[in-house]
């Protein structure tokens, strides 16, 4: 992607200091989503590495991963698989607990969301510490998916999440990097 487009995308993201706690700068992509041109450019850039290849499903992590993942799945003519917080899916599920900065959480996927060997791309808005994304990869693999890659609009490289995914042999595609937390 050309530098001007990257700059425009970065400028379309709102930074909110001291949210959700002092010292954190929250990267809010709702402003990118509300800008039709920026949203289209971001989705096109997330799709680009997989255009012309076989991707059976795109898995999106609740909630912003649903928005981006749905658009990516549409562009790739793939199905979409939601990965949700525990208790939100109506059919038989497989769940995983994972560590958060202060405690644990759980997420689920329908047990029949993918067929064994399905080629899946994981999508979310941001990769930080990697806890949620690594848990999502494990969940997808448990039900037989081949996780082809994980894609994010934003990487916070100082927090090491992308490196954790690469250590699991998952290629990582990100559009933008921001310093800090």
């Amino acid at each position: 992607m050309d530098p001007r487009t990257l700059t425009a995308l970065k400028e379309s993201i709102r930074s909110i200091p001291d949210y959700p706690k002092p010292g954190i700068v929250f990267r809010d992509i709702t402003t990118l989503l509300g800008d039709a041109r920026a949203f289209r450019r971001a989705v096109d850039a997330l799709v680009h590495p997989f255009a012309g290849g076989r991707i059976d499903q795109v898995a999106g992590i609740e909630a912003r991963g649903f928005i981006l993942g749905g658009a990516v799945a549409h562009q790739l003519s793939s199905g979409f698989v939601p990965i949700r917080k525990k208790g939100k899916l109506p059919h038989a599920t497989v769940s995983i607990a994972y560590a958060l900065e202060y405690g644990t959480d759980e997420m689920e996927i329908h047990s029949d969301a993918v067929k064994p060997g399905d080629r899946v791309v994981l999508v979310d808005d941001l990769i930080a510490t990697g806890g949620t994304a690594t848990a999502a990869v494990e969940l997808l693999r448990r039900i037989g998916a081949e996780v082809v890659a994980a894609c994010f609009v934003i990487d916070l490289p100082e927090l090491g999440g992308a490196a954790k995914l690469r250590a699991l042999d998952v290629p990582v595609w990100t559009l933008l990097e921001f310093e800090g937390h």
Side-chain angles (χ1 to χ4, degrees):
M1 187 177 291
D2 80 64
R4 286 185 310 211
T5 301
L6 288 174
T7 299
L9 282 179
K10 200 165 199 173
E11 289 173 353
S12 75
I13 295 168
R14 178 174 31 213
S15 295
I16 303 171
D18 298 321
Y19 183 84
K21 63 181 189 172
I24 303 292
V25 178
F26 185 82
R27 306 303 177 175
D28 178 16
I29 71 153
T30 62
T31 47
L32 178 146
L33 298 173
D35 178 334
R37 187 176 203 160
F39 184 31
R40 177 60 186 233
R41 286 177 170 171
V43 171
D44 287 349
L46 292 172
V47 166
H48 182 75
F50 312 103
R54 190 192 100 209
I55 301 298
D56 300 301
Q57 303 285 346
V58 173
I61 299 172
E62 189 170 351
R64 290 170 299 275
F66 290 3
I67 299 163
L68 294 163
V72 169
H74 172 76
Q75 292 286 61
L76 292 173
S77 298
S78 302
F80 177 77
V81 175
I83 298 176
R84 300 219 52 195
K85 293 178 192 229
K86 186 170 178 60
K88 300 288 186 177
L89 292 171
H91 186 59
T93 61
V94 176
S95 66
I96 189 167
Y98 60 99
L100 297 171
E101 194 171 350
Y102 300 105
T104 61
D105 205 351
E106 251 182 289
M107 64 179 151
E108 298 178 320
I109 191 168
H110 279 136
S111 58
D112 61 356
V114 301
K115 296 180 206 77
D118 271 359
R119 293 172 49 83
V120 177
V121 171
L122 178 67
V123 176
D124 205 0
D125 65 324
L126 181 139
I127 180 80
T129 63
T132 304
T134 56
V137 167
E138 186 177 330
L139 199 55
L140 286 162
R141 287 177 172 169
R142 263 193 215 166
I143 63 170
E146 176 191 341
V147 182
V148 174
C151 300
F152 307 90
V153 173
I154 299 169
D155 181 16
L156 303 178
E158 293 172 35
L159 298 180
K164 287 179 187 172
L165 288 175
R166 289 183 186 106
L168 295 173
D169 293 323
V170 177
V172 177
W173 297 90
T174 61
L175 304 183
L176 305 168
E177 290 184 356
F178 283 91
E179 291 180 9
H181 298 85

